[in-house]
Amino acid sequence: MTYQSVNPYDGQLLKTFDELTDNQLETALVTADTCFKSWRHSTFSERAAVAVKAAAIMRSHVDDYARLVTLEMGKRIEEARSEVALSADIIDYYAKNSERFLASQDLKPTSGEAEVESVPFGVLFGVQPWNFPYYQLARFAAPNLMAGNVVMVKHAGSVPQCALAFERLWLEAGAPTGAYTNLFISYDHVNRVIDDPRIKGVALTGSGDAGQSVAGRAGQNLKKSTMELGGSDAFIVLEDADLEKTVKWAVWGKMNNTGQSCVAAKRFIVVEKLADRFLEKFKTALTALKPGDPMDKATTLAPLSSEAALVKLLDQVTRAVASGASVVMGGGRVDRPGAFMQPTILADIQPGNPAFREEFFGPVALFFRVKNEDEAVALANDSDFGLGGSVFTQDVARGKRVASRVDTGMMFVNQPTWTLPELPFGGIKNSGYGRELSSMGIHEFVNKKLVRVASIDALM
Ligand code: NAP
């Protein structure tokens, strides 16, 4: 059964859901396509009224929405509440700004007139991951619905209750049936949906393997796609960093969402002058985290999203150690029921070690000691990923210079990479292509259509 809620805190099976049949999928596609034909002609203020209501519903039922996240994928309840608030902020942001973002652009040609209109593509298909069960959906749905597109979403199999809650949200907010459609479908059906001529664009957030499959299929169909894939963000500590503040951010950057974030700090690259002191303080802070029920506000270490995620991470650690890495702390599962991983630091990772290139999706920090800034930048860039990254220094101008030298889609100075509605989000290299959020996110799936009014006679 692909679509099932299992509580990773105690392994209890909560609910299962059937996949759509061929006929049900066809009905959903017809409904979405029909909806687009009218939704595309709705005004920005009509769409914004729906979006503002959706955001308000999320805020007024924050506990209900948050509880489902914690139940299905184990996120600490306060983090789940923050995710609900952030999702509502994203929806509000596009309600407020989309008309301005998509206003026709006058090209001011040398003669006659020319402008670029932004016209919705049609029905879009999104494939989304479990790690931020609402935020990922909001990031895809809000700009595209506001642009006049309609969306169909295959959410991850492990968060079906969140998937249904988010679909219900749009109906409760007054969106017409078919504007937002949740699809419980198999991978075969994912391919079928991408092939369907009614689908005009495809967006995936997930792993590189899923990206290759979904982007490949979209490419075969000559359909535009965006890919938000994995990362192995560098967390660079220069010798003039404020150590106390930096260690606090290191803990947050590694442990937010129990490390299960594409932009979690994954490679800690510390200049040798601070390396020993940083490592000692980082270790002490991670040791203080206490596993417990993620529904309990006092818990500081949550389980991973599933037993399978834990097994995968443990296997990565075992292979890293077999290839020469040393365990500074942790390295195993927590001796208690549930999918709990010990906060872990690995060091002595050489370029031939598989850990040097892999993404560790959980509370495992890879620690590297470097001589200076140049070595830090070179190591940060020696990665197949290019999503986010951060640099810590008390000299902001220096931080910005280092940020410019690191090849990623996002660099932060004195904070690990994070997200806000108004900041573009996305990567390069194996971290994917395209951008979500900000004004850039809403331009991905609109036709930039030139309308030219000539003022000359026919050319001979
Ligand atoms: P995943 O296994 O790739 O799953 C993501 C989504 O793709 C799920 O809905 C999954 O469905 C589906 N999927 C997987 N393989 C597929 C295939 N061959 N054909 C069709 N659909 C397929 O990734 P995950 O483990 O859920 O999420 C973690 C990954 O996402 C990490 O690599 C993380 O860095 C990345 N991520 C990136 C961003 C970003 O913005 N760049 C944000 C969040 C996460 P099932 O659940 O049914 O398998």
Side-chain angles (χ1 to χ4, degrees):
M1 179 66 68
T2 305
Y3 293 92
Q4 56 181 26
S5 294
V6 176
N7 186 344
Y9 171 59
D10 57 13
Q12 195 192 345
L13 176 63
L14 303 169
K15 272 191 180 176
T16 61
F17 298 84
D18 290 333
E19 286 177 14
L20 296 190
T21 62
D22 288 355
N23 282 344
Q24 287 169 325
L25 177 57
E26 174 57 22
T27 303
L29 282 160
V30 169
T31 307
D33 194 45
T34 307
C35 180
F36 172 64
K37 291 187 172 84
S38 53
W39 183 251
R40 66 177 302 174
H41 298 300
S42 57
T43 63
F44 280 104
S45 54
E46 285 164 343
R47 294 173 206 156
V50 172
V52 164
K53 181 134 189 241
I57 294 171
M58 285 200 100
R59 288 203 184 90
S60 60
H61 293 87
V62 57
D63 290 331
D64 299 335
Y65 284 101
R67 197 174 154 274
L68 284 184
V69 172
T70 302
L71 272 182
E72 291 198 306
M73 54 71 70
K75 195 187 298 271
R76 290 192 298 125
I77 190 70
E78 286 305 303
E79 289 181 346
R81 289 170 57 93
S82 300
E83 181 184 336
V84 175
L86 175 60
S87 305
D89 288 349
I90 290 169
I91 297 170
D92 268 340
Y93 171 79
Y94 283 108
K96 189 169 162 208
N97 295 303
S98 294
E99 184 165 13
R100 178 169 59 86
F101 291 156
L102 297 182
S104 293
Q105 193 193 346
D106 182 355
L107 298 182
K108 302 196 188 329
T110 48
S111 68
E113 294 173 38
E115 63 177 32
V116 172
E117 294 177 357
S118 291
V119 183
F121 270 16
V123 187
L124 305 178
F125 179 46
V127 180
Q128 301 295 339
W130 47 264
N131 59 341
F132 291 91
Y134 301 127
Y135 159 78
Q136 293 294 345
L137 302 185
R139 228 166 71 158
F140 171 58
N144 287 311
L145 288 172
M146 281 303 304
N149 293 309
V150 305
V151 297
M152 306 188 88
V153 178
K154 182 243 176 288
H155 210 336
S158 56
V159 287
Q161 297 194 67
C162 292
L164 287 175
F166 201 77
E167 181 186 50
R168 234 177 5 252
L169 170 72
W170 289 96
L171 285 173
E172 282 170 22
T177 307
Y180 184 103
T181 308
N182 173 64
L183 298 173
F184 286 150
I185 52 173
S186 65
Y187 290 0
D188 278 351
H189 270 167
V190 166
N191 288 336
R192 193 179 301 181
V193 172
I194 297 170
D195 293 347
D196 193 286
R198 289 164 289 196
I199 296 294
K200 306 298 186 198
V202 178
L204 174 127
T205 297
S207 61
D209 287 349
Q212 282 186 340
S213 173
V214 168
R217 197 78 179 197
Q220 281 168 23
N221 284 284
L222 300 179
K223 288 180 186 173
K224 164 106 190 248
S225 64
T226 56
M227 292 289 133
E228 298 280 1
L229 308 177
S232 190
D233 286 11
F235 181 107
I236 298 172
V237 185
L238 299 177
E239 66 281 358
D240 60 352
D242 177 325
L243 196 56
E244 297 300 323
K245 285 186 184 169
T246 302
V247 170
K248 280 189 186 148
W249 274 125
V251 175
W252 186 88
K254 182 68 275 178
M255 297 308 299
N256 181 43
N257 210 29
T258 322
Q260 303 165 113
S261 164
C262 52
V263 289
K266 291 175 185 143
R267 295 178 296 145
F268 292 80
I269 300 174
V270 187
V271 168
E272 63 187 2
K273 189 174 166 217
L274 280 189
D276 288 337
R277 279 190 290 152
F278 173 88
L279 192 56
E280 206 42 52
K281 285 179 186 293
F282 190 31
K283 207 171 130 182
T284 305
L286 292 181
T287 307
L289 301 178
K290 293 277 171 284
D293 185 347
M295 285 289 179
D296 180 351
K297 278 187 193 174
T299 294
T300 49
L301 179 65
L304 292 186
S305 64
S306 66
E307 180 64 24
L310 174 61
V311 168
K312 181 174 172 197
L313 195 58
L314 288 169
D315 176 59
Q316 281 182 289
V317 170
T318 304
R319 285 189 290 110
V321 172
S323 303
S326 55
V327 180
V328 177
M329 68 175 282
R333 71 184 298 154
V334 178
D335 184 17
R336 59 172 293 150
F340 286 89
M341 174 82 190
Q342 293 172 338
T344 297
I345 304 177
L346 301 179
D348 303 313
I349 299 151
Q350 303 303 325
N353 192 319
F356 194 84
R357 307 231 151 251
E358 287 175 358
E359 178 184 33
F360 282 70
F361 215 56
V364 178
L366 310 183
F367 179 78
F368 299 88
R369 192 183 294 263
V370 290
K371 283 202 178 61
N372 53 35
E373 177 184 313
D374 283 347
E375 265 194 32
V377 170
L379 184 54
N381 284 334
D382 191 1
S383 171
D384 301 330
F385 295 107
L387 192 55
S390 53
V391 51
F392 290 78
T393 166
Q394 293 187 65
D395 178 347
V396 171
R398 183 186 185 197
K400 284 161 81 172
R401 274 198 312 275
V402 171
S404 298
R405 295 173 66 198
V406 180
D407 302 329
T408 62
M410 302 169 280
M411 279 300 289
F412 279 51
V413 178
N414 292 332
Q415 183 191 350
T417 301
W418 191 235
T419 180
L420 287 171
E422 62 271 29
L423 303 180
F425 196 103
I428 57 167
K429 303 199 265 183
N430 289 355
S431 295
Y433 50 84
R435 292 292 179 270
E436 291 190 319
L437 298 177
S438 77
S439 62
M440 294 172 77
I442 202 169
H443 290 295
E444 292 284 359
F445 294 106
V446 289
N447 175 17
K448 294 291 174 186
K449 183 169 133 191
L450 172 69
V451 177
R452 166 79 166 145
V453 179
S455 60
I456 53 172
D457 293 333
L459 304 169
M460 299 297 286

